Amino acid sequence: MAISTDLPVSGFISPATTDEALATLQELGSSATVLAGGTDIMVQLQAGQIQPETLLYIGNLDDLRGIDRKEKTVGIGSLVTHHQLATDAELSARLPALAEACSTIGGWQTQEVGTLGGNVCNASPAADTIAPLLVADASITLASTGGTRSMPLAEFVLGRRSTAARPEELLTRLDISPCDAGTGEVYLKVAPRTAMEVAVVGLAVRISMTDGLVSDARIAAVAVAAVPFRSAAAEHALIGSRLEPEAVEEASRLLAAEAEPIDDARASASYRRMVLPRLLGRAVDIAKSRALEE
Amino acid sequence: MTALGAAAPRRDADPKVRGTATYGVDVSLPGMIHGAILRSPVARGRIRRIDTSKAEAMPGVWAVITASDAPSHRTGLKIRDERVFAADLIAYEGEPIAAVAAQSREFARRAVAAIEVDIEEEQPVVDMDLALTDDAPLVHPEWESYEPVGDDFPRGGNVCAEMSSDPGGVEEAFAAADHVIEDEYRSQRQYQAYLEPKGVVAVYAGGRYTVHIAHQYPFRVRDRLAEALGISSSDVRVVGHHIGGGFGAKLDVSLEPYAALLARATGRPVKIVNERSEDLITCQCREDAVFRVRSAVSSDGRILGREIDVLINAGAAGTDGPYLASIAFILAGAPYRVGPTRVRCRSVYTNTAPTGAYRGVSGTHVIFALERHTDHIARTLDIDRREFRLKNLITDGDALLNGQELPDAGIFAKAFDAVEERAPWAERAREPYTGVGIAATVWLTNSQPGSVILKLNEDGGLGVITGATENGSGAVAMGVTQIAAEELRISPDQVVVSMPDTDTSPYDAGSQGSRTTHVVGRAVGKAATELRQKIYEIAATMLEAAVEDLELVDGGVTVKGSPGTKLTLAEIAAQATARGESLAATGTHATPQPKFDPTCASGLLFPTFPTPTYHVHLAEVRVDPVTGNVEVLRYVVAQEVGTVVNPLGVEGQVQGGVAQGLGYALWENLTIGEDGRYRQRNLESYRLPLATDVPRVETIILEHPDEGGPFGAKGVAEPPIVPVAAAIANAVSDAVGAPIDAIPITPQAVLEALGRSGR
Amino acid sequence: MQLTLNVNGRMRTLDASPAATLLDVLRDELGLIGTKEGCVEGECGACTVLVDGRPVDSCIFAAHAVGSREVTTIEGVGAVDATPLQQAMVEAGAVQCGFCTPGFVMTLTALLDENPSPDEATIRRSIAGNICRCTGYSQIVDAVLQLSGGDR
């Protein structure tokens, strides 16, 4: 029932080019709140959780909406929407976990305006896109008036609503390795209903099979720790195996041990602990069958 | 052509589908300003200081009012325990402390935030069992000074109301039992979650208040607002607008006193609209309950006797709790024969937001408990769960525990048969992690009075002037409309039903208890009988025929057997006007109270179920052993309705009611913390069923025309929600191989149950 | 701050605070009350409008972000004659209290624009962001299926 007494937002700026946007960010620094699709920022603003001084709308920056498709890597502009990623046939084939994750965010209205960059920068511990991005070895690019810099996604996401971006920087692009032949992946989201949910547990698994053996395994979880993470220990338990039940059980045990779920408004820690290990088993089955599909 | 049973488009469909319908929240008057309410952030405490000076000094603020600007006497539906503003003791989170009028909603909310209130917090009374212990703090320390409305009833301390019945023979039954089966069931609160938040626009002019509102019961608003302000009902006018859902939450006053007081203080129309979280907390949602039951059972499958003890949570105000305390007792006598049954139900005060009416009042948790218990008995006796029910079904002439005879209870057996034909039961080995459940209930058609005026318009169309409200169910836009059309043998699109206005509409008891089509339809029938007579009398002189030789056919009057002699209704109306005669008539109806035994219980404020209807539901579910999610594979409803007035309307009530029931069973988890505050506070955390969550309901409609109903129609809208949680819980319990004793059935509860059963 | 919007084919100029939402502007400044406020959290979809033909929740869409894009509200759908979708909804019993109806009309109009024959699963997925508390959704789905001849 609390109502905010803070001052209302005093400015709304809509730069027409990325250079303009960066110049404005340089000038305003942390007094500017970057606004893209608004599905996080506007909700938080309406709820009184944030009190921006100036809204910097970057939706007109068309050069951030591109998808750069190469054989070994896909470059996705930070303003590409969840709907675009969910419905792009080529990306659904090469990055199925990311496409699946995007299709589970909110509903159609959310996906139409919500952006990949926004989901990453909001950095919810339960962010659906972050798990598939982690198993895809994503790196992000930040731009400022001083130039650009890149880093692995895992170094960029620090905690809830907290990233390594400096106030004057804008996330412009994410570079991701797609699945090649013999590699399959999946994103599984656990939530009470079938849509409009924040993940209670989210799990992305990517498996590469060569001659019946696992040559590579990547496992990333969201909503079961303060920060989305990849479980190296669980991955190593699968690599070199044939995904025998014992290997999968061991990986599940290791994944669960690394998770630090909490009780929150959505679910209890004990529920998350019950779900996570069995969910890995289900994800591995699906990733394996997709890997063998070709 | 007949209007009855036709899938006629509802008369309000066009404005709704085009977006031109004006709802309560859409009302805008010239010069209107906006109000907002300061509500207590804590569940219990004492106000030590209020300082409104900063708020009053803010630009754009017109007025700030507190307890000292409002009457301090208490009002209520049955127990006068509510006051307009808290002055000293705070009894629940959300209790109004002050209100502001300002030039915009934004300004009003900022001003509310600028009011300084010091509250000395106290430990709230939250748990009902704890509230009933001897040393529990009193939620209402001054309860003894509270006046009842009408006759007093059993109550005291934190017991807001108590209903009890002890017929004798219960101990003997337990002594003779082969098995004693004992259970405790818990159910959570449910938010009605109508899409249109509550809102009101109040005007004060010429010594009278006019209130514009979307409300299910305008006459109650008139009377309760007048009572709250200490004025006469005639000084209040309530004007109804399209309602964006209510489901029981829009049956009582809420924002009206504040808007009215601010309108008087400022001389301007004042609009107040709830924010969604404010609406959720103050809606007066369905109560949470604890249901304890033990049954004395014989090995051959009879229920020899039973003892039931129910706690229903009133929250911090009784509202309709004293009436709801009767529901468990009434439902306990159906649909299965039980021997002597001792029932006690207490409505308990706690320092939580007051609860109130929601579709299928109390029935949803009572039937959940009784039907889960029935499954438990069947399993204990190793009798098929459906067979056990059929064996004990009541039939024509059997009586409820209150002595009320159900002359047509044999419909239960027909409903079970109908479901069986559609979805054969057969407890066979099924796919792993799937289960089936069945549940049945009787429900009522509320009997409270309604009056209508019918007037024949000059073009031969029919005006229906009524205080009845269209809450969305179609009871007015379809039910009353089509009944009126049928009575006059005209097309439904020639019928215009007025919006309610307490200055000009005759009294109606509101859209509650599934009553509108039935009661208002009968009133229409009575008025139509008189109106037809007047029409015939005029036509008789015009046609030079005898009244008894005339009949209404297709928008006109003819001499029986001579279709060529037809006069249109327009011609007759013109003639009436020329003669200075009015073609209007009034009809009033209230369903007679069924006979019952008035000595059967004490505190039985809701004594009977008039015009009962009969219902059987079947659910098939699959549980996910990894996540605990429940998928509803199939849902079948056999519903008895008397007569179908509009099949689209009936279908809509079943699909919609079941969807609400599924939410109640699986996703809508409204819980209260130790601090007495709701944990779920918006539509992100309070999970409503979505289009991808709910299955298609398979609906079987049974028609048994009721001689007391308009063309035989009975109440339709509530029953579809009542047995859903029971059917689902029985199905989930079957799927997991372990009892399910609480709703909503969370994924965690499913996984834990699977863990217990080892599946 | 001044703002110019293209709403239902007309250019409108008005004043709106920097953080004003498209919903605020439509209802309070332009008097277009057909678009409803149900939650102001982007959960219920009662505020759905089309921006360049795409469905969005106007309650969390910044008014100043619209720019030159075309906004279509319920008032712009079937303004003279009801559209086939609107008629189908009436005939299928898909309208009860009607508060959610404008939002559903907007979302379904966009769906039928890109997919004239959606099947039941596709329809349900497309309206997952529109809450209806009255109908239980089946008759809304029926309306689209009747119109499009798609499969259950």
Side-chain angles (χ1 to χ4, degrees):
Chain A
M1 215 80 61
I3 302 171
S4 166
T5 47
D6 293 310
L7 294 172
V9 175
S10 59
F12 191 103
I13 302 177
S14 304
T17 68
T18 304
D19 285 340
E20 255 182 68
L22 293 177
T24 309
L25 263 179
Q26 184 65 38
E27 189 197 321
L28 296 181
S30 48
S31 74
T33 300
V34 172
L35 174 68
T39 58
D40 288 313
I41 296 293
M42 292 299 285
V43 174
Q44 292 162 17
L45 197 156
Q46 300 289 347
Q49 291 165 13
I50 57 171
Q51 294 85 32
E53 278 181 54
T54 301
L55 288 169
L56 179 64
Y57 179 61
I58 58 168
N60 294 318
L61 309 183
D62 289 338
D63 55 343
L64 302 186
R65 293 193 182 278
I67 300 177
D68 186 11
R69 302 161 202 263
K70 299 209 180 65
E71 200 197 319
K72 297 283 187 195
T73 158
V74 177
I76 303 181
S78 56
L79 288 183
V80 172
T81 66
H82 303 310
H83 183 78
Q84 284 175 273
L85 291 170
T87 56
D88 186 298
E90 200 225 358
L91 291 184
S92 296
R94 300 177 76 200
L95 288 162
L98 181 61
E100 273 164 346
C102 290
S103 74
T104 70
I105 296 176
W108 189 8
Q109 292 91 326
T110 326
Q111 293 171 23
E112 272 297 339
V113 299
T115 63
L116 187 61
N119 195 245
V120 168
C121 289
N122 189 57
S124 160
D128 293 301
T129 62
I130 293 185
L133 289 171
L134 286 175
V135 302
D137 257 343
S139 69
I140 60 100
T141 301
L142 296 161
S144 67
T145 52
T148 66
R149 63 184 180 121
S150 297
M151 71 182 75
L153 178 66
E155 285 173 28
F156 180 64
V157 176
L158 301 177
R160 183 168 177 263
R161 295 185 194 167
S162 170
T163 68
R166 295 188 201 113
E168 68 274 13
E169 288 178 310
L170 193 65
L171 175 65
T172 55
R173 176 189 173 103
L174 298 94
D175 287 283
I176 309 171
S177 309
C179 293
D180 52 24
T183 301
E185 65 174 19
V186 66
Y187 177 66
L188 293 178
K189 174 172 179 171
V190 176
R193 295 173 303 176
T194 52
M196 303 301 290
E197 296 280 22
V198 171
V200 167
V201 178
L203 190 64
V205 170
R206 178 183 282 197
I207 304 233
S208 302
M209 305 289 291
T210 310
D211 298 327
L213 287 173
V214 175
S215 48
D216 193 16
R218 292 132 186 246
I219 299 168
V222 297
V224 291
V227 184
F229 68 96
R230 265 177 68 173
S231 173
E235 292 169 1
H236 288 134
L238 293 183
I239 293 172
S241 79
R242 294 183 180 277
L243 295 176
E244 306 90 336
E246 304 77 50
V248 177
E249 268 168 45
E250 176 66 2
S252 300
R253 198 187 55 76
L254 290 164
L255 174 63
E258 232 177 298
E260 290 171 314
I262 57 169
D263 291 334
D264 66 14
R266 293 184 191 102
S268 67
S270 64
Y271 172 72
R272 291 172 160 117
R273 275 195 215 95
M274 280 193 279
V275 171
L276 185 59
R278 286 178 257 195
L279 194 66
L280 180 62
R282 176 175 285 174
V284 164
D285 281 343
I286 299 171
K288 173 186 176 184
S289 64
R290 287 180 180 177
L292 299 175
E293 241 159 37
E294 262 118 340
Chain B
M1 192 276 313
T2 174
L4 202 67
R10 36 188 310 154
R11 292 286 282 140
D12 56 0
D14 188 80
K16 288 176 175 178
V17 89
R18 307 254 207 144
T20 61
T22 302
Y23 292 83
V25 291
D26 296 324
V27 172
S28 184
L29 296 178
M32 188 174 78
I33 58 177
H34 298 262
I37 297 176
L38 172 67
R39 298 181 179 278
S40 170
V42 301
R44 186 186 175 105
R46 292 196 180 267
I47 299 173
R48 290 300 176 214
R49 182 182 75 96
I50 305 181
D51 186 347
T52 61
S53 54
K54 287 205 185 68
E56 289 176 61
M58 286 170 73
V61 170
W62 283 68
V64 182
I65 57 175
T66 64
S68 50
D69 305 298
S72 60
H73 62 269
R74 291 184 181 266
T75 67
L77 282 180
K78 184 56 186 169
I79 180 69
R80 294 190 170 97
D81 55 9
E82 302 167 40
R83 46 177 299 168
V84 175
F85 285 117
D88 174 24
L89 183 62
I90 302 273
Y92 64 98
E93 186 208 13
E95 186 167 5
I97 295 174
V100 171
Q103 70 185 54
S104 73
R105 249 199 329 182
E106 197 48 46
F107 274 75
R109 287 176 186 165
R110 283 180 196 286
V112 162
I115 298 174
E116 291 171 10
V117 186
D118 290 340
I119 301 174
E120 191 183 303
E121 278 188 65
E122 293 177 9
Q123 184 66 23
V125 177
V126 179
D127 179 85
M128 285 193 284
D129 283 304
L130 288 179
L132 294 174
T133 57
D134 289 332
D135 50 0
L138 290 173
V139 174
H140 286 278
E142 291 166 34
W143 70 270
E144 278 175 292
S145 67
Y146 294 169
E147 297 283 327
V149 176
D151 293 336
D152 210 344
F153 53 93
R155 59 190 174 94
N158 285 336
V159 175
C160 168
E162 177 166 336
M163 178 255 117
S164 59
S165 172
D166 195 348
V170 177
E171 295 315 320
E172 290 84 333
F174 279 97
D178 294 318
H179 304 268
V180 173
I181 293 149
E182 190 163 346
D183 281 308
E184 178 179 299
Y185 298 102
R186 290 177 180 267
S187 55
Q188 295 287 21
R189 298 192 177 193
Q190 186 182 20
Y191 171 38
Q192 296 85 342
Y194 32 85
L195 263 281
E196 181 203 16
K198 289 185 184 176
V200 60
V201 178
V203 183
Y204 180 73
R208 298 184 82 219
Y209 294 90
T210 300
V211 172
H212 290 267
I213 192 168
H215 202 275
Q216 296 173 249
Y217 194 170
F219 282 91
R220 177 178 275 169
V221 174
R222 179 197 67 181
D223 296 341
R224 291 266 282 139
L225 176 59
E227 191 192 5
L229 300 184
I231 60 179
S232 144
S233 287
S234 300
D235 290 337
V236 177
R237 174 185 178 203
V238 179
V239 178
H241 297 267
H242 285 288
I243 305 172
F247 313 111
K250 292 178 181 171
L251 279 172
D252 199 0
V253 282
S254 60
L255 302 172
E256 300 81 355
Y258 311 96
L261 288 169
L262 289 170
R264 177 142 187 199
T266 61
R268 291 292 202 97
V270 175
K271 181 173 192 172
I272 305 181
V273 176
N274 272 345
E275 288 191 309
R276 181 54 71 175
S277 70
E278 185 180 13
D279 193 280
L280 187 160
I281 290 162
T282 62
C283 60
Q284 298 200 349
C285 61
R286 188 191 303 286
E287 74 277 9
D288 53 299
V290 180
F291 193 107
R292 296 174 172 122
V293 52
R294 34 193 294 267
S295 293
V297 176
S298 68
S299 293
D300 65 349
R302 287 170 296 125
I303 306 167
L304 304 174
R306 180 172 276 174
E307 180 170 24
I308 292 174
D309 195 303
V310 188
L311 301 179
I312 57 175
N313 200 334
T319 70
D320 58 359
Y323 295 104
L324 301 193
S326 304
I327 302 289
F329 173 65
I330 305 223
L331 286 175
Y336 315 115
R337 260 185 217 101
V338 288
T341 302
R342 175 185 299 137
V343 181
R344 177 170 68 163
C345 179
R346 287 169 291 177
S347 167
V348 182
Y349 280 129
T350 58
N351 285 119
T352 62
T355 57
Y358 184 169
R359 188 180 198 170
V361 289
S362 290
T364 53
H365 60 76
V366 169
I367 296 301
F368 159 66
L370 287 174
E371 284 289 35
R372 280 292 308 124
H373 188 63
T374 302
D375 261 24
H376 188 182
I377 295 172
R379 290 207 193 272
T380 303
L381 300 178
D382 202 25
I383 299 176
D384 174 274
R385 294 175 289 143
R386 180 171 177 275
E387 282 308 312
F388 177 77
R389 288 175 164 85
L390 291 178
K391 178 191 168 77
N392 288 294
L393 265 187
I394 60 175
T395 189
D396 292 346
D398 283 338
L400 297 172
L401 298 179
N402 61 353
Q404 176 189 348
E405 261 185 43
L406 298 178
D408 49 4
I411 296 172
F412 268 130
K414 295 189 183 148
F416 270 92
D417 286 344
V419 170
E420 176 67 10
E421 199 190 304
R422 182 70 66 93
W425 177 258
E427 276 191 305
R428 60 196 186 281
R430 271 183 307 271
E431 279 174 48
Y433 302 114
T434 65
V436 64
I438 202 163
T441 192
V442 64
W443 199 248
L444 83 156
T445 310
N446 180 298
S447 58
Q448 296 293 293
S451 298
V452 303
I453 298 167
L454 297 184
K455 65 182 185 91
L456 190 67
N457 292 326
E458 287 65 30
D459 63 353
L462 184 69
V464 180
I465 302 163
T466 172
T469 53
E470 172 53 71
N471 64 7
S473 70
V476 175
M478 293 170 168
V480 170
T481 298
Q482 286 174 244
I483 287 166
E486 185 69 16
E487 291 281 2
L488 268 286
R489 315 291 186 276
I490 58 178
S491 158
D493 61 13
Q494 293 176 281
V495 176
V496 177
V497 182
S498 67
M499 279 292 207
D501 180 333
T502 58
D503 269 6
T504 53
S505 313
Y507 186 86
D508 186 83
S511 50
Q512 57 171 321
S514 315
R515 66 177 277 285
T516 300
T517 300
H518 180 86
V519 174
V520 180
R522 279 296 308 276
V524 165
K526 290 174 176 176
T529 301
E530 190 187 322
L531 182 61
R532 278 195 300 269
Q533 183 65 20
K534 291 186 180 183
I535 290 170
Y536 289 147
E537 278 164 13
I538 304 230
T541 66
M542 292 166 78
L543 291 171
E544 290 178 345
V547 164
E548 52 273 19
D549 292 335
L550 298 176
E551 63 180 357
L552 266 175
V553 172
D554 262 352
V557 172
T558 65
V559 176
K560 289 176 192 168
S562 308
T565 58
K566 186 171 174 177
L567 279 175
T568 66
L569 287 175
E571 286 168 327
I572 296 168
Q575 182 64 224
T577 304
R579 295 187 199 180
E581 291 180 36
S582 101
L583 282 175
T586 305
T588 299
H589 187 69
T591 309
Q593 171 96 276
K595 287 208 199 71
F596 73 105
D597 171 13
T599 67
C600 67
S602 73
L604 190 66
L605 302 184
F606 196 132
T608 62
F609 264 19
T611 317
T613 55
Y614 304 93
H615 313 272
V616 177
H617 289 205
L618 179 142
E620 273 184 45
V621 304
R622 180 189 294 126
V623 304
D624 184 327
V626 170
T627 67
N629 287 118
V630 175
E631 186 190 350
V632 182
L633 300 174
R634 192 170 187 193
Y635 201 92
V636 181
V637 168
Q639 170 149 351
E640 190 263 319
V641 302
T643 306
V644 173
V645 177
N646 186 318
L648 292 178
V650 172
E651 183 72 28
Q653 291 312 293
V654 176
Q655 301 280 342
V658 170
Q660 290 187 2
L662 292 176
Y664 181 63
L666 296 171
W667 305 297
E668 297 179 41
N669 201 1
L670 187 53
T671 59
I672 297 172
E674 278 166 27
D675 61 357
R677 299 170 63 241
Y678 282 18
R679 291 201 189 94
Q680 293 76 22
R681 305 173 75 80
N682 57 24
L683 296 186
E684 187 198 349
S685 46
Y686 186 79
R687 298 180 159 84
L688 294 170
L690 306 173
T692 43
D693 293 318
V694 302
R696 277 181 183 279
V697 177
E698 295 168 65
T699 310
I700 308 159
I701 297 300
L702 306 175
E703 288 185 276
H704 291 264
D706 174 57
E707 59 187 27
F711 301 108
K714 299 198 254 185
V716 170
E718 286 178 293
I721 198 179
V722 175
V724 180
I728 294 289
N730 279 342
V732 173
S733 174
D734 187 39
V736 302
I740 296 288
D741 294 344
I743 47 174
I745 306 164
T746 62
Q748 175 159 357
V750 171
L751 289 186
E752 286 168 352
L754 283 169
R756 286 197 299 278
S757 72
R759 284 195 189 175
Chain C
M1 278 177 67
Q2 221 199 38
L3 180 59
T4 300
L5 294 177
N6 179 335
V7 181
N8 298 328
R10 266 205 188 85
M11 300 305 292
R12 311 293 299 266
T13 302
L14 50 101
D15 220 49
S17 67
T21 64
L22 181 55
L23 179 65
D24 291 337
V25 159
L26 290 171
R27 288 182 61 81
D28 300 337
E29 300 299 320
L30 297 180
L32 297 170
I33 56 152
T35 308
K36 305 303 186 192
E37 178 184 300
C39 71
V40 198
E41 330 158 32
E43 287 290 331
C44 76
C47 68
T48 306
V49 299
L50 303 183
V51 175
D52 275 354
R54 315 303 297 173
V56 306
D57 288 326
S58 61
C59 72
I60 52 169
F61 199 103
H64 289 280
V66 178
S68 61
R69 291 181 277 184
E70 290 183 28
V71 177
T72 312
T73 71
I74 185 67
E75 288 87 354
V77 176
V80 177
D81 295 315
T83 63
L85 170 66
Q86 287 167 316
Q87 280 171 39
M89 287 181 73
V90 170
E91 283 162 21
V95 179
Q96 288 191 30
C97 87
F99 201 76
C100 73
T101 302
F104 274 91
V105 170
M106 303 317 292
T107 301
L108 291 170
T109 298
L111 172 67
L112 289 166
D113 227 38
E114 71 175 24
N115 182 351
S117 289
D119 62 16
E120 174 147 3
T122 304
I123 298 168
R124 287 183 183 265
R125 265 197 312 274
S126 79
I127 54 174
N130 286 84
I131 296 177
C132 177
R133 194 49 162 167
C134 296
T135 67
Y137 305 103
S138 298
Q139 287 160 309
I140 297 174
V141 174
D142 282 341
V144 182
L145 289 174
Q146 274 161 32
L147 196 59
S148 66
D151 290 326
R152 284 203 174 178

